[in-house]
Amino acid sequence: MLNTSKVGSYISKLRKERDWTQMEMADKLNVSHQAVSKWERGDSLPDIGTLMTIGQTFGVSIDELMNGGADEDSSVYIKNFGHVMKGFSESRHEDVSSMINTGEADMEGLVNAAPLLKSSELTEVTSKLDKRLLNTDLLVRLAPFIETELLDELVVARTIDDEFDIRFVQKMAPFLSKDVLRGLIDQANKDGMDLKAVSRLAPFIGREVVDELMEQAISNEVEMKTIVNLAPFCSREKLISIVDRTMEWHLDSHLLTSLAPFLGREYLNRLVEDRKIANVNPEAITRLAPFVDKTTLSRWIQELLEK
């Protein structure tokens, strides 16, 4: 992975060898001195055009610059990184893909260049790569930068060709379309879905799908912790329906307090009164207090005192 601190310290070394201040270097590169300061601290990297200018100014290759002056024999050296960057700067995207496919340039170089590129540029190059080069680790690292449509295709192909890996899907979930996520969940279901694991996808798949997962959780009698984890992402109607069935015969104070933030005041009040306040211990009432109005809370307290 690109070490921005190492690149920054190398830029600083080059500047000091010329005995330039950060302000003088900034003037020569037509950037602000704050930008130079951020580079040297490793807080950011120059854009591709500026990297080319820095290389020309100090008479160093982009490979040398982006590898932080590391020797080619170093284990962290990224081969032909400069050629990849130059290819992008000149819009020779097909050439970049070809270099990586033939092994002339490292896949690692593309990953490290990703934050400096437009999504459309990276997507165009990635779409032309030999898909065998794109293992799950590389897809996870490229996911924030590749357009969703291509990423959907790559992930679907990966999960069809390989054994389904829910951990991989969880890492990719924030960057995939809801339709693809739904398809992946259905695929996992066929293979014997681990509902607890899939519940971690809940923030990304939409209420309708979460409602279905909630229903499945109840049907499969999974542990209630999974229900609680899904609660923030399902519809209130579905949650109320499940609570009504789960607490049909007795009031589960622990479950109720866990779900209270998502049930609504009106329903919470009705539920407790229907199941009788005597069945709710004082500790549970304390935890429910923030989710009911003052009048209801006062009545509950009064009823508890009269028990």
PDB file of all heavy atoms in Angstrom, residues 18-52:
ATOM      1  N   ARG A  18      17.773  21.171  -2.411  1.00  0.00           N
ATOM      2  CA  ARG A  18      17.859  22.395  -3.211  1.00  0.00           C
ATOM      3  C   ARG A  18      17.939  23.645  -2.333  1.00  0.00           C
ATOM      4  O   ARG A  18      18.052  24.753  -2.852  1.00  0.00           O
ATOM      5  CB  ARG A  18      16.627  22.507  -4.114  1.00  0.00           C
ATOM      6  CG  ARG A  18      16.516  21.409  -5.179  1.00  0.00           C
ATOM      7  CD  ARG A  18      17.543  21.573  -6.287  1.00  0.00           C
ATOM      8  NE  ARG A  18      17.400  20.530  -7.301  1.00  0.00           N
ATOM      9  CZ  ARG A  18      16.705  20.662  -8.429  1.00  0.00           C
ATOM     10  NH1 ARG A  18      16.083  21.806  -8.677  1.00  0.00           N
ATOM     11  NH2 ARG A  18      16.641  19.675  -9.297  1.00  0.00           N
ATOM     12  N   ASP A  19      17.820  23.431  -1.024  1.00  0.00           N
ATOM     13  CA  ASP A  19      17.833  24.537  -0.063  1.00  0.00           C
ATOM     14  C   ASP A  19      16.690  25.520  -0.336  1.00  0.00           C
ATOM     15  O   ASP A  19      16.863  26.738  -0.251  1.00  0.00           O
ATOM     16  CB  ASP A  19      19.185  25.270  -0.081  1.00  0.00           C
ATOM     17  CG  ASP A  19      19.399  26.109   1.188  1.00  0.00           C
ATOM     18  OD1 ASP A  19      18.794  25.765   2.227  1.00  0.00           O
ATOM     19  OD2 ASP A  19      20.144  27.095   1.137  1.00  0.00           O
ATOM     20  N   TRP A  20      15.526  24.945  -0.644  1.00  0.00           N
ATOM     21  CA  TRP A  20      14.345  25.769  -0.875  1.00  0.00           C
ATOM     22  C   TRP A  20      13.450  25.746   0.367  1.00  0.00           C
ATOM     23  O   TRP A  20      13.390  24.743   1.081  1.00  0.00           O
ATOM     24  CB  TRP A  20      13.510  25.224  -2.036  1.00  0.00           C
ATOM     25  CG  TRP A  20      14.136  25.373  -3.387  1.00  0.00           C
ATOM     26  CD1 TRP A  20      15.204  26.149  -3.733  1.00  0.00           C
ATOM     27  CD2 TRP A  20      13.722  24.686  -4.572  1.00  0.00           C
ATOM     28  NE1 TRP A  20      15.488  26.009  -5.073  1.00  0.00           N
ATOM     29  CE2 TRP A  20      14.590  25.114  -5.617  1.00  0.00           C
ATOM     30  CE3 TRP A  20      12.728  23.773  -4.885  1.00  0.00           C
ATOM     31  CZ2 TRP A  20      14.475  24.654  -6.933  1.00  0.00           C
ATOM     32  CZ3 TRP A  20      12.608  23.314  -6.184  1.00  0.00           C
ATOM     33  CH2 TRP A  20      13.473  23.754  -7.201  1.00  0.00           C
ATOM     34  N   THR A  21      12.772  26.853   0.595  1.00  0.00           N
ATOM     35  CA  THR A  21      11.723  26.853   1.611  1.00  0.00           C
ATOM     36  C   THR A  21      10.473  26.231   0.982  1.00  0.00           C
ATOM     37  O   THR A  21      10.378  26.069  -0.239  1.00  0.00           O
ATOM     38  CB  THR A  21      11.378  28.279   2.062  1.00  0.00           C
ATOM     39  OG1 THR A  21      10.814  28.999   0.952  1.00  0.00           O
ATOM     40  CG2 THR A  21      12.610  29.015   2.574  1.00  0.00           C
ATOM     41  N   GLN A  22       9.522  25.872   1.832  1.00  0.00           N
ATOM     42  CA  GLN A  22       8.257  25.351   1.301  1.00  0.00           C
ATOM     43  C   GLN A  22       7.574  26.391   0.413  1.00  0.00           C
ATOM     44  O   GLN A  22       6.960  26.053  -0.600  1.00  0.00           O
ATOM     45  CB  GLN A  22       7.325  24.935   2.445  1.00  0.00           C
ATOM     46  CG  GLN A  22       7.748  23.661   3.157  1.00  0.00           C
ATOM     47  CD  GLN A  22       6.729  23.214   4.197  1.00  0.00           C
ATOM     48  OE1 GLN A  22       5.888  23.987   4.643  1.00  0.00           O
ATOM     49  NE2 GLN A  22       6.815  21.947   4.608  1.00  0.00           N
ATOM     50  N   MET A  23       7.719  27.665   0.782  1.00  0.00           N
ATOM     51  CA  MET A  23       7.120  28.733  -0.011  1.00  0.00           C
ATOM     52  C   MET A  23       7.776  28.819  -1.390  1.00  0.00           C
ATOM     53  O   MET A  23       7.087  28.972  -2.413  1.00  0.00           O
ATOM     54  CB  MET A  23       7.268  30.071   0.723  1.00  0.00           C
ATOM     55  CG  MET A  23       6.549  31.240   0.042  1.00  0.00           C
ATOM     56  SD  MET A  23       4.744  31.126   0.192  1.00  0.00           S
ATOM     57  CE  MET A  23       4.538  31.652   1.909  1.00  0.00           C
ATOM     58  N   GLU A  24       9.084  28.695  -1.433  1.00  0.00           N
ATOM     59  CA  GLU A  24       9.793  28.764  -2.716  1.00  0.00           C
ATOM     60  C   GLU A  24       9.407  27.579  -3.612  1.00  0.00           C
ATOM     61  O   GLU A  24       9.185  27.742  -4.815  1.00  0.00           O
ATOM     62  CB  GLU A  24      11.307  28.764  -2.483  1.00  0.00           C
ATOM     63  CG  GLU A  24      11.821  30.087  -1.922  1.00  0.00           C
ATOM     64  CD  GLU A  24      13.294  30.029  -1.543  1.00  0.00           C
ATOM     65  OE1 GLU A  24      13.736  28.957  -1.063  1.00  0.00           O
ATOM     66  OE2 GLU A  24      13.995  31.034  -1.733  1.00  0.00           O
ATOM     67  N   MET A  25       9.321  26.404  -3.013  1.00  0.00           N
ATOM     68  CA  MET A  25       8.918  25.236  -3.792  1.00  0.00           C
ATOM     69  C   MET A  25       7.486  25.401  -4.302  1.00  0.00           C
ATOM     70  O   MET A  25       7.176  25.073  -5.459  1.00  0.00           O
ATOM     71  CB  MET A  25       9.025  23.971  -2.929  1.00  0.00           C
ATOM     72  CG  MET A  25       8.605  22.701  -3.676  1.00  0.00           C
ATOM     73  SD  MET A  25       8.903  21.215  -2.680  1.00  0.00           S
ATOM     74  CE  MET A  25       8.089  19.982  -3.678  1.00  0.00           C
ATOM     75  N   ALA A  26       6.613  25.932  -3.456  1.00  0.00           N
ATOM     76  CA  ALA A  26       5.217  26.146  -3.841  1.00  0.00           C
ATOM     77  C   ALA A  26       5.126  27.109  -5.033  1.00  0.00           C
ATOM     78  O   ALA A  26       4.349  26.878  -5.963  1.00  0.00           O
ATOM     79  CB  ALA A  26       4.423  26.688  -2.652  1.00  0.00           C
ATOM     80  N   ASP A  27       5.927  28.166  -5.010  1.00  0.00           N
ATOM     81  CA  ASP A  27       5.925  29.134  -6.115  1.00  0.00           C
ATOM     82  C   ASP A  27       6.355  28.475  -7.422  1.00  0.00           C
ATOM     83  O   ASP A  27       5.787  28.742  -8.490  1.00  0.00           O
ATOM     84  CB  ASP A  27       6.850  30.312  -5.791  1.00  0.00           C
ATOM     85  CG  ASP A  27       6.272  31.225  -4.708  1.00  0.00           C
ATOM     86  OD1 ASP A  27       5.046  31.149  -4.486  1.00  0.00           O
ATOM     87  OD2 ASP A  27       7.040  31.979  -4.099  1.00  0.00           O
ATOM     88  N   LYS A  28       7.380  27.612  -7.350  1.00  0.00           N
ATOM     89  CA  LYS A  28       7.893  26.964  -8.561  1.00  0.00           C
ATOM     90  C   LYS A  28       6.879  25.967  -9.140  1.00  0.00           C
ATOM     91  O   LYS A  28       6.839  25.738 -10.358  1.00  0.00           O
ATOM     92  CB  LYS A  28       9.215  26.256  -8.258  1.00  0.00           C
ATOM     93  CG  LYS A  28      10.351  27.220  -7.894  1.00  0.00           C
ATOM     94  CD  LYS A  28      11.616  26.487  -7.561  1.00  0.00           C
ATOM     95  CE  LYS A  28      12.694  27.463  -7.043  1.00  0.00           C
ATOM     96  NZ  LYS A  28      13.061  28.459  -8.065  1.00  0.00           N
ATOM     97  N   LEU A  29       6.069  25.373  -8.258  1.00  0.00           N
ATOM     98  CA  LEU A  29       5.090  24.386  -8.705  1.00  0.00           C
ATOM     99  C   LEU A  29       3.708  24.992  -8.933  1.00  0.00           C
ATOM    100  O   LEU A  29       2.782  24.298  -9.361  1.00  0.00           O
ATOM    101  CB  LEU A  29       4.972  23.257  -7.667  1.00  0.00           C
ATOM    102  CG  LEU A  29       6.232  22.423  -7.408  1.00  0.00           C
ATOM    103  CD1 LEU A  29       5.980  21.427  -6.280  1.00  0.00           C
ATOM    104  CD2 LEU A  29       6.663  21.693  -8.669  1.00  0.00           C
ATOM    105  N   ASN A  30       3.578  26.275  -8.607  1.00  0.00           N
ATOM    106  CA  ASN A  30       2.301  26.987  -8.752  1.00  0.00           C
ATOM    107  C   ASN A  30       1.198  26.374  -7.889  1.00  0.00           C
ATOM    108  O   ASN A  30       0.069  26.146  -8.333  1.00  0.00           O
ATOM    109  CB  ASN A  30       1.862  27.014 -10.227  1.00  0.00           C
ATOM    110  CG  ASN A  30       0.799  28.064 -10.490  1.00  0.00           C
ATOM    111  OD1 ASN A  30       0.730  29.090  -9.804  1.00  0.00           O
ATOM    112  ND2 ASN A  30      -0.054  27.814 -11.475  1.00  0.00           N
ATOM    113  N   VAL A  31       1.586  26.073  -6.639  1.00  0.00           N
ATOM    114  CA  VAL A  31       0.619  25.571  -5.657  1.00  0.00           C
ATOM    115  C   VAL A  31       0.778  26.388  -4.386  1.00  0.00           C
ATOM    116  O   VAL A  31       1.683  27.225  -4.284  1.00  0.00           O
ATOM    117  CB  VAL A  31       0.845  24.072  -5.344  1.00  0.00           C
ATOM    118  CG1 VAL A  31       0.644  23.222  -6.580  1.00  0.00           C
ATOM    119  CG2 VAL A  31       2.240  23.837  -4.746  1.00  0.00           C
ATOM    120  N   SER A  32      -0.074  26.170  -3.413  1.00  0.00           N
ATOM    121  CA  SER A  32       0.043  26.891  -2.143  1.00  0.00           C
ATOM    122  C   SER A  32       1.106  26.241  -1.261  1.00  0.00           C
ATOM    123  O   SER A  32       1.386  25.045  -1.395  1.00  0.00           O
ATOM    124  CB  SER A  32      -1.309  26.898  -1.406  1.00  0.00           C
ATOM    125  OG  SER A  32      -1.630  25.597  -0.955  1.00  0.00           O
ATOM    126  N   HIS A  33       1.683  27.046  -0.350  1.00  0.00           N
ATOM    127  CA  HIS A  33       2.681  26.454   0.551  1.00  0.00           C
ATOM    128  C   HIS A  33       2.009  25.481   1.524  1.00  0.00           C
ATOM    129  O   HIS A  33       2.633  24.561   2.033  1.00  0.00           O
ATOM    130  CB  HIS A  33       3.446  27.552   1.314  1.00  0.00           C
ATOM    131  CG  HIS A  33       2.644  28.240   2.380  1.00  0.00           C
ATOM    132  ND1 HIS A  33       1.813  29.307   2.125  1.00  0.00           N
ATOM    133  CD2 HIS A  33       2.551  28.010   3.717  1.00  0.00           C
ATOM    134  CE1 HIS A  33       1.236  29.699   3.252  1.00  0.00           C
ATOM    135  NE2 HIS A  33       1.674  28.938   4.224  1.00  0.00           N
ATOM    136  N   GLN A  34       0.679  25.687   1.756  1.00  0.00           N
ATOM    137  CA  GLN A  34      -0.048  24.736   2.611  1.00  0.00           C
ATOM    138  C   GLN A  34      -0.099  23.349   1.960  1.00  0.00           C
ATOM    139  O   GLN A  34      -0.014  22.328   2.643  1.00  0.00           O
ATOM    140  CB  GLN A  34      -1.480  25.227   2.869  1.00  0.00           C
ATOM    141  CG  GLN A  34      -1.562  26.458   3.765  1.00  0.00           C
ATOM    142  CD  GLN A  34      -1.611  27.747   2.959  1.00  0.00           C
ATOM    143  OE1 GLN A  34      -1.179  27.775   1.797  1.00  0.00           O
ATOM    144  NE2 GLN A  34      -2.133  28.800   3.563  1.00  0.00           N
ATOM    145  N   ALA A  35      -0.210  23.336   0.618  1.00  0.00           N
ATOM    146  CA  ALA A  35      -0.240  22.056  -0.095  1.00  0.00           C
ATOM    147  C   ALA A  35       1.086  21.328   0.075  1.00  0.00           C
ATOM    148  O   ALA A  35       1.120  20.118   0.341  1.00  0.00           O
ATOM    149  CB  ALA A  35      -0.538  22.283  -1.575  1.00  0.00           C
ATOM    150  N   VAL A  36       2.178  22.062  -0.075  1.00  0.00           N
ATOM    151  CA  VAL A  36       3.499  21.461   0.088  1.00  0.00           C
ATOM    152  C   VAL A  36       3.652  20.920   1.507  1.00  0.00           C
ATOM    153  O   VAL A  36       4.174  19.813   1.715  1.00  0.00           O
ATOM    154  CB  VAL A  36       4.616  22.485  -0.215  1.00  0.00           C
ATOM    155  CG1 VAL A  36       5.991  21.886   0.094  1.00  0.00           C
ATOM    156  CG2 VAL A  36       4.545  22.942  -1.666  1.00  0.00           C
ATOM    157  N   SER A  37       3.186  21.678   2.475  1.00  0.00           N
ATOM    158  CA  SER A  37       3.274  21.246   3.871  1.00  0.00           C
ATOM    159  C   SER A  37       2.499  19.946   4.093  1.00  0.00           C
ATOM    160  O   SER A  37       2.978  19.028   4.778  1.00  0.00           O
ATOM    161  CB  SER A  37       2.722  22.346   4.788  1.00  0.00           C
ATOM    162  OG  SER A  37       2.732  21.938   6.138  1.00  0.00           O
ATOM    163  N   LYS A  38       1.306  19.836   3.500  1.00  0.00           N
ATOM    164  CA  LYS A  38       0.498  18.621   3.649  1.00  0.00           C
ATOM    165  C   LYS A  38       1.183  17.412   2.999  1.00  0.00           C
ATOM    166  O   LYS A  38       1.162  16.316   3.546  1.00  0.00           O
ATOM    167  CB  LYS A  38      -0.883  18.834   3.041  1.00  0.00           C
ATOM    168  CG  LYS A  38      -1.796  19.714   3.874  1.00  0.00           C
ATOM    169  CD  LYS A  38      -3.174  19.821   3.232  1.00  0.00           C
ATOM    170  CE  LYS A  38      -4.101  20.678   4.082  1.00  0.00           C
ATOM    171  NZ  LYS A  38      -5.445  20.798   3.453  1.00  0.00           N
ATOM    172  N   TRP A  39       1.805  17.645   1.836  1.00  0.00           N
ATOM    173  CA  TRP A  39       2.520  16.531   1.179  1.00  0.00           C
ATOM    174  C   TRP A  39       3.627  16.013   2.085  1.00  0.00           C
ATOM    175  O   TRP A  39       3.771  14.813   2.293  1.00  0.00           O
ATOM    176  CB  TRP A  39       3.150  16.972  -0.133  1.00  0.00           C
ATOM    177  CG  TRP A  39       2.208  17.522  -1.151  1.00  0.00           C
ATOM    178  CD1 TRP A  39       0.851  17.319  -1.231  1.00  0.00           C
ATOM    179  CD2 TRP A  39       2.548  18.379  -2.250  1.00  0.00           C
ATOM    180  NE1 TRP A  39       0.328  17.990  -2.294  1.00  0.00           N
ATOM    181  CE2 TRP A  39       1.339  18.648  -2.945  1.00  0.00           C
ATOM    182  CE3 TRP A  39       3.731  18.937  -2.721  1.00  0.00           C
ATOM    183  CZ2 TRP A  39       1.307  19.455  -4.076  1.00  0.00           C
ATOM    184  CZ3 TRP A  39       3.711  19.734  -3.853  1.00  0.00           C
ATOM    185  CH2 TRP A  39       2.505  19.995  -4.519  1.00  0.00           C
ATOM    186  N   GLU A  40       4.427  16.949   2.597  1.00  0.00           N
ATOM    187  CA  GLU A  40       5.605  16.555   3.371  1.00  0.00           C
ATOM    188  C   GLU A  40       5.234  15.903   4.699  1.00  0.00           C
ATOM    189  O   GLU A  40       6.000  15.097   5.222  1.00  0.00           O
ATOM    190  CB  GLU A  40       6.511  17.774   3.586  1.00  0.00           C
ATOM    191  CG  GLU A  40       7.103  18.303   2.277  1.00  0.00           C
ATOM    192  CD  GLU A  40       8.176  19.365   2.484  1.00  0.00           C
ATOM    193  OE1 GLU A  40       8.441  19.733   3.659  1.00  0.00           O
ATOM    194  OE2 GLU A  40       8.756  19.820   1.480  1.00  0.00           O
ATOM    195  N   ARG A  41       4.073  16.241   5.222  1.00  0.00           N
ATOM    196  CA  ARG A  41       3.602  15.596   6.458  1.00  0.00           C
ATOM    197  C   ARG A  41       2.947  14.251   6.172  1.00  0.00           C
ATOM    198  O   ARG A  41       2.624  13.501   7.091  1.00  0.00           O
ATOM    199  CB  ARG A  41       2.599  16.494   7.185  1.00  0.00           C
ATOM    200  CG  ARG A  41       3.170  17.766   7.764  1.00  0.00           C
ATOM    201  CD  ARG A  41       2.242  18.333   8.847  1.00  0.00           C
ATOM    202  NE  ARG A  41       0.872  18.459   8.383  1.00  0.00           N
ATOM    203  CZ  ARG A  41       0.350  19.548   7.809  1.00  0.00           C
ATOM    204  NH1 ARG A  41       1.117  20.618   7.606  1.00  0.00           N
ATOM    205  NH2 ARG A  41      -0.907  19.577   7.436  1.00  0.00           N
ATOM    206  N   GLY A  42       2.710  13.953   4.894  1.00  0.00           N
ATOM    207  CA  GLY A  42       2.043  12.707   4.534  1.00  0.00           C
ATOM    208  C   GLY A  42       0.540  12.775   4.677  1.00  0.00           C
ATOM    209  O   GLY A  42      -0.142  11.746   4.661  1.00  0.00           O
ATOM    210  N   ASP A  43      -0.026  13.994   4.797  1.00  0.00           N
ATOM    211  CA  ASP A  43      -1.471  14.149   4.951  1.00  0.00           C
ATOM    212  C   ASP A  43      -2.208  14.024   3.621  1.00  0.00           C
ATOM    213  O   ASP A  43      -3.406  13.734   3.591  1.00  0.00           O
ATOM    214  CB  ASP A  43      -1.801  15.511   5.577  1.00  0.00           C
ATOM    215  CG  ASP A  43      -1.347  15.606   7.025  1.00  0.00           C
ATOM    216  OD1 ASP A  43      -1.136  14.545   7.638  1.00  0.00           O
ATOM    217  OD2 ASP A  43      -1.193  16.733   7.536  1.00  0.00           O
ATOM    218  N   SER A  44      -1.515  14.291   2.525  1.00  0.00           N
ATOM    219  CA  SER A  44      -2.135  14.186   1.201  1.00  0.00           C
ATOM    220  C   SER A  44      -1.047  13.972   0.162  1.00  0.00           C
ATOM    221  O   SER A  44       0.151  14.072   0.464  1.00  0.00           O
ATOM    222  CB  SER A  44      -2.936  15.454   0.878  1.00  0.00           C
ATOM    223  OG  SER A  44      -2.080  16.575   0.746  1.00  0.00           O
ATOM    224  N   LEU A  45      -1.482  13.698  -1.069  1.00  0.00           N
ATOM    225  CA  LEU A  45      -0.552  13.524  -2.180  1.00  0.00           C
ATOM    226  C   LEU A  45      -0.858  14.543  -3.278  1.00  0.00           C
ATOM    227  O   LEU A  45      -2.003  14.960  -3.436  1.00  0.00           O
ATOM    228  CB  LEU A  45      -0.678  12.112  -2.773  1.00  0.00           C
ATOM    229  CG  LEU A  45      -0.108  10.956  -1.959  1.00  0.00           C
ATOM    230  CD1 LEU A  45      -0.511   9.636  -2.597  1.00  0.00           C
ATOM    231  CD2 LEU A  45       1.407  11.057  -1.857  1.00  0.00           C
ATOM    232  N   PRO A  46       0.147  14.939  -4.049  1.00  0.00           N
ATOM    233  CA  PRO A  46      -0.110  15.817  -5.191  1.00  0.00           C
ATOM    234  C   PRO A  46      -0.970  15.081  -6.213  1.00  0.00           C
ATOM    235  O   PRO A  46      -0.981  13.853  -6.266  1.00  0.00           O
ATOM    236  CB  PRO A  46       1.296  16.087  -5.758  1.00  0.00           C
ATOM    237  CG  PRO A  46       2.251  15.676  -4.676  1.00  0.00           C
ATOM    238  CD  PRO A  46       1.569  14.599  -3.900  1.00  0.00           C
ATOM    239  N   ASP A  47      -1.708  15.844  -7.044  1.00  0.00           N
ATOM    240  CA  ASP A  47      -2.449  15.190  -8.116  1.00  0.00           C
ATOM    241  C   ASP A  47      -1.458  14.710  -9.177  1.00  0.00           C
ATOM    242  O   ASP A  47      -0.255  15.010  -9.114  1.00  0.00           O
ATOM    243  CB  ASP A  47      -3.505  16.122  -8.717  1.00  0.00           C
ATOM    244  CG  ASP A  47      -2.917  17.407  -9.301  1.00  0.00           C
ATOM    245  OD1 ASP A  47      -1.830  17.364  -9.909  1.00  0.00           O
ATOM    246  OD2 ASP A  47      -3.552  18.461  -9.150  1.00  0.00           O
ATOM    247  N   ILE A  48      -1.974  13.954 -10.145  1.00  0.00           N
ATOM    248  CA  ILE A  48      -1.082  13.314 -11.115  1.00  0.00           C
ATOM    249  C   ILE A  48      -0.246  14.336 -11.879  1.00  0.00           C
ATOM    250  O   ILE A  48       0.969  14.166 -12.055  1.00  0.00           O
ATOM    251  CB  ILE A  48      -1.897  12.446 -12.100  1.00  0.00           C
ATOM    252  CG1 ILE A  48      -2.503  11.262 -11.351  1.00  0.00           C
ATOM    253  CG2 ILE A  48      -1.023  11.944 -13.235  1.00  0.00           C
ATOM    254  CD1 ILE A  48      -3.352  10.348 -12.208  1.00  0.00           C
ATOM    255  N   GLY A  49      -0.891  15.419 -12.333  1.00  0.00           N
ATOM    256  CA  GLY A  49      -0.157  16.439 -13.092  1.00  0.00           C
ATOM    257  C   GLY A  49       0.967  17.051 -12.280  1.00  0.00           C
ATOM    258  O   GLY A  49       2.081  17.263 -12.784  1.00  0.00           O
ATOM    259  N   THR A  50       0.695  17.330 -11.013  1.00  0.00           N
ATOM    260  CA  THR A  50       1.704  17.937 -10.146  1.00  0.00           C
ATOM    261  C   THR A  50       2.838  16.961  -9.858  1.00  0.00           C
ATOM    262  O   THR A  50       4.000  17.348  -9.753  1.00  0.00           O
ATOM    263  CB  THR A  50       1.070  18.428  -8.830  1.00  0.00           C
ATOM    264  OG1 THR A  50      -0.009  19.319  -9.128  1.00  0.00           O
ATOM    265  CG2 THR A  50       2.084  19.156  -7.968  1.00  0.00           C
ATOM    266  N   LEU A  51       2.507  15.673  -9.741  1.00  0.00           N
ATOM    267  CA  LEU A  51       3.548  14.659  -9.536  1.00  0.00           C
ATOM    268  C   LEU A  51       4.530  14.659 -10.703  1.00  0.00           C
ATOM    269  O   LEU A  51       5.749  14.565 -10.508  1.00  0.00           O
ATOM    270  CB  LEU A  51       2.922  13.272  -9.399  1.00  0.00           C
ATOM    271  CG  LEU A  51       2.253  12.959  -8.055  1.00  0.00           C
ATOM    272  CD1 LEU A  51       1.442  11.677  -8.165  1.00  0.00           C
ATOM    273  CD2 LEU A  51       3.293  12.854  -6.949  1.00  0.00           C
ATOM    274  N   MET A  52       3.991  14.787 -11.915  1.00  0.00           N
ATOM    275  CA  MET A  52       4.858  14.839 -13.093  1.00  0.00           C
ATOM    276  C   MET A  52       5.777  16.065 -13.030  1.00  0.00           C
ATOM    277  O   MET A  52       6.976  15.979 -13.315  1.00  0.00           O
ATOM    278  CB  MET A  52       4.009  14.900 -14.379  1.00  0.00           C
ATOM    279  CG  MET A  52       3.082  13.714 -14.567  1.00  0.00           C
ATOM    280  SD  MET A  52       3.991  12.150 -14.729  1.00  0.00           S
ATOM    281  CE  MET A  52       2.627  10.990 -14.714  1.00  0.00           C
TER     282      MET A  52
END
